[in-house]
Amino acid sequence: MHQELTRAGHRVEIWSGRSDEVRVETDAWLAEHVGEGVSARHMRPRADYQSDVSLKEAWLLAEPQKPDLIFDDRQSVVDMWRRHGIVCAQVAPGDF
């Protein structure tokens, strides 16, 4: 899907709640499963234990331009994106 979105002129970014302590492993996984050149733009800073909702909302509020579309799984994060008027495709049920 990444290639299709990119070819259609969309900017594709990965905003992960995973710790940046595993950035190398995350970027390797993304390259293998999503495509070469894809890496995480945002990752949780080391020793940052705030909720995914707070973390991703802070990233969103710091962006000069809102994303057009988000893919996420955690219900509380999906709800946050939608509160901000962003279309969010929930990729799997996630009440964890």
Side-chain angles (χ1 to χ4, degrees), residues 11 13-20 23 26-27 30 39-45 55-56 58-65 67 81:
R11 186 180 76 234
E13 300 177 346
I14 308 296
W15 295 10
S16 175
R18 298 184 80 199
S19 172
D20 62 6
R23 178 174 289 280
T26 300
D27 286 344
L30 288 167
S39 64
R41 174 159 182 236
H42 290 294
M43 288 186 76
R44 180 184 302 276
L55 180 71
K56 291 181 179 183
W59 291 339
L60 174 65
L61 295 175
E63 287 293 313
Q65 182 179 359
W81 296 124

Side-chain angles (χ1 to χ4, degrees), residues 18-35:
R18 298 184 80 199
S19 172
D20 62 6
E21 295 171 307
V22 293
R23 178 174 289 280
V24 171
E25 295 87 343
T26 300
D27 286 344
W29 187 94
L30 288 167
E32 180 179 344
H33 296 279
V34 179

